[in-house]
Amino acid sequence: SAVPAYYRGGTIVARKDRARRSSRAMTFDPHTLVVALDTSGSASGRVFLDDGISQDTGSNRAMRRVAMSGGTLSCGGDEAHVWGKGTYTPAAEPSPEPASQGVIGRVFGTPPASKEVALNADDVARGMEVERVIFLGLPANKAFKAVFADGREEALVKSPYITPGLEATTSALTLRTPGVRLHQDWQLRIVAA
């Protein structure tokens, strides 16, 4: 009736959890990060951000690094520049985004060859939002909270994402709506509550 999903300790996996009829319908859905800690409390992964449609491997993509080490979860380190808001014309490249905008995708949808499509930067950024972070492997007998760079704190809540029989030794805790986006650099600390 159910198929278990296993995550290797030390990995971070980005996924989109909302059920849709197609991947195109998921374009602007937020991401969930699954942080599976290893025995030293560390994990890392990469998130590939692109338009989800074209086969262009050039300017409309980025690779972001997400890592957890020493209790700090961080996102940063562009491995490729992604063009930003502006007007997309299939025959020409758009103007690069201002540096203050961070990394943002350029083409969300395949425009007809004869038309220009004005990009909506708010929609693009919404599709890079992190809706929740699920931490696997934190000690089961403690409560935790996330402390953000701006000083705000959010409690981590128990999740149902744990193998039956392991509840006494490990936990799955969720940080809901952290207010961070994958195209921006950010850090948050996980501390005992």
Side-chain angles (χ1 to χ4, degrees):
S1 66
V3 177
Y6 296 97
Y7 291 93
R8 181 183 305 263
T11 60
I12 297 177
V13 177
R15 61 187 197 196
K16 292 194 175 193
D17 285 350
R18 295 184 184 172
R20 303 284 188 189
R21 292 182 183 204
S22 70
S23 58
R24 184 177 177 114
M26 298 170 73
T27 301
F28 301 119
D29 286 353
H31 289 79
T32 294
L33 296 178
V34 179
V35 180
L37 300 172
D38 62 14
T39 55
S40 68
S42 298
S44 67
R46 290 192 168 116
V47 181
F48 182 75
L49 303 172
D50 71 346
D51 63 12
I53 296 171
S54 73
Q55 295 181 15
D56 179 12
T57 59
S59 59
N60 63 340
R61 61 173 174 74
M63 187 76 75
R64 304 285 287 163
R65 179 170 164 70
V66 183
M68 174 103 176
S69 180
T72 300
L73 179 65
S74 61
C75 177
D78 310 345
E79 295 184 15
H81 180 73
V82 177
W83 295 101
K85 70 179 190 179
T87 302
Y88 173 71
T89 306
E93 289 294 330
S95 300
E97 65 188 348
S100 63
Q101 293 287 326
V103 175
I104 226 171
R106 84 170 163 173
V107 186
F108 282 83
T110 305
S114 62
K115 295 183 179 178
E116 290 185 347
V117 176
L119 297 177
N120 181 333
D122 291 335
D123 283 342
V124 173
R126 189 180 69 215
M128 308 231 183
E129 185 175 351
V130 176
E131 180 174 44
R132 76 179 60 90
V133 182
I134 301 169
F135 295 92
L136 304 175
L138 290 170
N141 56 352
K142 291 184 181 179
F144 292 90
K145 64 183 176 181
V147 179
F148 295 85
D150 62 6
R152 73 187 161 95
E153 298 179 357
E154 294 286 332
L156 274 64
V157 297
K158 292 213 182 268
S159 299
Y161 300 100
I162 197 70
T163 303
L166 295 179
E167 296 91 349
T169 58
T170 189
S171 66
L173 298 175
T174 299
L175 173 61
R176 296 182 182 151
T177 58
V180 296
R181 295 186 173 178
L182 292 172
H183 68 281
Q184 297 170 333
D185 292 348
W186 49 265
Q187 286 188 357
L188 60 92
R189 284 197 49 80
I190 303 300
V191 298

